[in-house]
Amino acid sequence: MTDHIDNNDSIMSAEDLNEILRVRREKLFELQQSGNDPFKEVKYEVTVRSCEIIDDFDAKEGQTVSIAGRLMSKRGMGKASFCDLHDRYGKIQLYVRMNEIGDEKYAEFKKYDIGDIVGVKGTVFKTHKGEISIKVDQITLLSKSLQPLPEKWHGLKDPDLRYRQRYLDLIVNPDVKETFITRSQIIKEIRKYLDERDFLEVETPLLNPIPGGAAARPFITHHNALDMDLYLRIAPELYLKRLIIGGMERVYEIGRMFRNEGISVKHNPEFSMMELYQAYADYNDMMALTEDMVATVAQKVLGTTKITYQGQPVDLTPPWRRLSMTDAVKEYGGIDFDVLEDSEEIKEALKSKGIDIDGEITKGNALNMAFEALVEEHLTQPTFIYDYPIEISPLTKKKYSRPELTERFEVFICGREYGNAYSELNDPIDQKERFDDQMRKRQAGDDEANMEDKDYLLAMEYGLPPTGGLGIGIDRLVMLLTDSYSIRDVILFPTMRQKDL
């Protein structure tokens, strides 16, 4: 089918489109009929970016440059016009005169629409009002925009539409683009930090025979050739620890995880995680690494370790506060679990704080429940909460002075959890018992409990050295460092319910 027929079909079907859409399609058809199809261009040589002209005007003044981008405004003045061109790096004003580009080209330019993509060659100068601009010698239409952009002053405000049409969000909301540029810089600096400390970046499978490494509900798929169910990974932990067993000693991975759970301002079913493992280290080493890495990344990307998140000042400068879960519940909740033993006594203590428990509950689960209900929201400044109950830490080494607890911590900032770390359990017999307990919970109806990974148990029997492990949610860290309220603000294409556009 020819382009001519395609565009005829478009014009014929345009009866159902509004006037703006109809006019834009007619303009495209006229261009194509006259041999000026904007979509025929295959490349355009760009010699400069907008920011380079603005930042280094003294050196660029008077130079002939070539730039490309999207027209975002036009201000006509008869035989001369001003317009703004936006590229990835910002915007630059164009000064287009009939005398410079010719009558025919100027007439074509006057028909250009906001949103069209153009290539421009011209001379850098400054207007009488002092605005750095390009005096245009040549202008080429590189792509025709058939859809109008959102109205200039109101912009694209509807969050649902912004997330569904992120490309449009990026076009009309410059601060959104800055958020994702910052995200890229954050990940780059994390990689640089770890690479400089002899960690090796690796890749582990996204398709797993069992969901392991975390307590979460997985997504299930099926591989036809092997006729077997597979699970999108919920965590890379067990594969990364296999690499420690294999002697790689320091490894990390930054990648996507998938959890078939709810959506909120803190949760998206598909999200990014950084996990690392270091042989011959423990959770104290992981605390030191965490606070130093986050502070270093903030300093590199933002130029400071003192930030504001949703109106709350936060100081990321190490050292961060360290508080055991038991002491945290005692300090913020007024319940001393060190003196509680009897289950009825524990229930009464929780009930006095508005936490009702039906049925039986272990002391460790009760401690965690009290922490979540009474403590988390108060942890504004960076705080390590350590020594978690063994019941909720199936992959973590016991604290041998208190075997009901484990050498595990989570880091909290502004009431949210940002990282999780262990002294890794390396006793294969103990691990088998923990897996057995998790399987009993699954059989009792807990579909988020860990499955037994027999191959991982076999690997452990060859010897897992003492190891420290750490996982940090990339999306939440980006939210913190960009002052973004929702996780959807830092994921380019968040998971959305399907909708007919």
Side-chain angles (χ1 to χ4, degrees), residues 343-344 346-348 350-351 354-362 365-366 369:
S343 61
E344 291 304 316
I346 291 172
K347 287 183 180 180
E348 284 300 316
L350 293 180
K351 187 175 181 180
I355 306 171
D356 289 323
I357 297 175
D358 295 325
E360 294 301 312
I361 189 169
T362 67
N365 280 319
M369 187 178 294

Side-chain angles (χ1 to χ4, degrees), residues 455-474:
D455 180 72
Y456 176 65
L457 288 172
L458 176 62
M460 287 186 71
E461 292 189 0
Y462 286 95
L464 171 63
T467 298
L470 166 67
I472 290 180
I474 294 293

Side-chain angles (χ1 to χ4, degrees), residues 67-178:
I67 192 169
R70 190 181 297 272
L71 289 179
M72 295 299 289
S73 72
K74 289 179 69 181
R75 303 174 293 282
M77 298 192 309
K79 296 182 179 181
S81 299
F82 287 98
C83 52
D84 290 330
L85 179 143
H86 287 212
D87 63 8
R88 169 183 161 182
Y89 302 91
K91 70 175 182 177
I92 187 76
Q93 179 172 267
L94 307 180
Y95 178 48
V96 188
R97 295 178 67 226
M98 182 187 296
N99 290 346
E100 296 292 338
I101 67 173
D103 295 358
E104 184 178 342
K105 263 296 181 182
Y106 191 75
E108 288 180 11
F109 163 76
K110 295 286 281 186
K111 293 182 179 181
Y112 290 178
D113 291 306
I114 303 303
D116 287 352
I117 296 173
V118 300
V120 170
K121 293 181 181 178
T123 306
V124 176
F125 80 111
K126 188 177 288 187
T127 67
H128 294 303
K129 293 184 177 180
E131 183 163 357
I132 296 171
S133 307
I134 298 174
K135 185 182 294 182
V136 176
D137 299 323
Q138 298 177 27
I139 186 164
T140 305
L141 183 60
L142 302 176
S143 183
K144 184 67 184 169
S145 175
L146 300 180
Q147 291 279 346
L149 297 178
E151 194 272 325
K152 178 180 178 181
W153 300 113
H154 295 95
L156 188 64
K157 302 298 184 183
D158 177 13
D160 186 75
L161 186 59
R162 286 180 52 226
Y163 301 144
R164 289 183 188 281
Q165 296 178 268
R166 181 67 83 186
Y167 47 89
L168 197 55
D169 193 23
L170 292 167
I171 290 171
V172 301
N173 293 324
D175 55 323
V176 172
K177 189 182 296 182
E178 286 302 313

Side-chain angles (χ1 to χ4, degrees), residues 3 62 133 179 243 292 443:
D3 291 340
S133 307
T179 292
L243 299 181
D292 186 58
Q443 292 164 4

Side-chain angles (χ1 to χ4, degrees), residues 19-20 33 90 112 118 142 172 215-216 227 231 238 253 392 401 406 425 497 501:
E19 182 67 10
I20 294 175
Q33 289 294 96
Y112 290 178
V118 300
L142 302 176
V172 301
D227 191 23
Y231 302 85
L238 300 185
E253 182 170 13
I392 61 170
S401 61
T406 62
L425 177 58
R497 189 185 301 277
L501 294 177

